[in-house]
Amino acid sequence: MQRIAKFHKVSYEQFKKDWIDTFGAEEEVAQIYEKINLPKRATFGSAGYDFYAPVDLVIKPGDSIKIPTGIRVEMEEGWVLKCYPRSGLGFKYRLQLNNTVGIIDSDYFYSDNEGHMFAKITNDTNEEKTVKLTQGEGFMQGIFVEYGITVDDDATEIRNGGFGSTTK
């Protein structure tokens, strides 16, 4: 297998800004940041890299939450990181990413927000089950996929943002 990427934490300053913007709470941000774990595969045969909850989270049926992961990923051109809910959470709770599949492009690493990856997840249960995640528990998985481009591709723009930034 090719080794094509490396996970990093975003800077503390970027994480603090995004955490406060998301949750409005400034207390304990330093402790939350220190406990962030880089994504890892659970086993030798795992395709997905597990992303871990930065804090305890409770998601009631029908509710959504936006999670600043504190993670960025540096990867070679020609690759993309596709993010999905962890299989067990999707199966047990119908936990879903709001954009169905998160797509992290290789040039996102260099954007103004340091390529800080967020996950917005919804508890879409039909059985009134509440999702309870503990700090450090895997909630999302990312899979690296190689992609191709068309022979007449002429894209030259440089990314400088996140969601929707390439269609402005």
Side-chain angles (χ1 to χ4, degrees):
M1 282 182 255
Q2 293 179 292
R3 295 183 183 263
I4 52 86
K6 182 173 175 55
F7 289 107
H8 304 268
K9 280 184 171 182
V10 296
S11 69
Y12 172 71
E13 293 76 21
Q14 184 67 50
F15 181 76
K16 181 178 178 182
K17 175 182 168 287
D18 291 338
W19 190 266
I20 292 169
D21 183 58
T22 302
F23 294 111
E26 195 168 336
E27 62 277 352
E28 300 182 12
V29 175
Q31 294 90 341
I32 294 166
Y33 180 79
E34 288 305 315
K35 292 180 181 176
I36 291 172
N37 295 315
L38 294 178
K40 293 190 184 305
R41 292 186 311 148
T43 67
F44 178 77
S46 296
Y49 283 81
D50 293 337
F51 284 72
Y52 306 103
V55 293
D56 292 347
L57 299 167
V58 175
I59 312 167
K60 295 179 181 173
D63 284 355
S64 297
I65 189 167
K66 183 174 83 170
I67 304 169
T69 65
I71 303 297
R72 64 195 295 221
V73 63
E74 183 177 18
M75 70 186 105
E76 291 183 13
E77 186 177 328
W79 289 83
V80 63
L81 179 65
K82 295 175 125 185
C83 296
Y84 307 90
R86 290 213 37 225
S87 301
L89 294 173
F91 186 80
K92 291 176 193 170
Y93 302 99
R94 287 181 49 115
L95 190 71
Q96 298 180 17
L97 291 177
N98 283 29
N99 58 346
T100 64
V101 177
I103 300 294
I104 309 300
D105 298 308
S106 62
D107 60 351
Y108 185 51
F109 184 78
Y110 303 102
S111 57
D112 282 349
N113 74 344
E114 298 181 21
H116 190 180
M117 297 168 58
F118 286 73
K120 188 169 184 184
I121 56 177
T122 296
N123 178 356
D124 199 27
T125 182
N126 290 332
E127 302 167 3
E128 296 303 311
K129 294 179 180 177
T130 297
V131 176
K132 294 179 182 176
L133 299 171
T134 58
Q135 184 275 323
E137 182 178 354
F139 72 93
M140 179 174 74
Q141 61 183 326
I143 300 172
F144 292 98
V145 178
E146 192 172 21
Y147 67 91
I149 58 174
T150 62
V151 294
D152 59 346
D153 183 275
D154 63 356
T156 59
E157 295 297 315
I158 297 173
R159 173 185 306 278
N160 199 23
F163 301 115
S165 66
T166 57
T167 57
K168 291 182 181 175

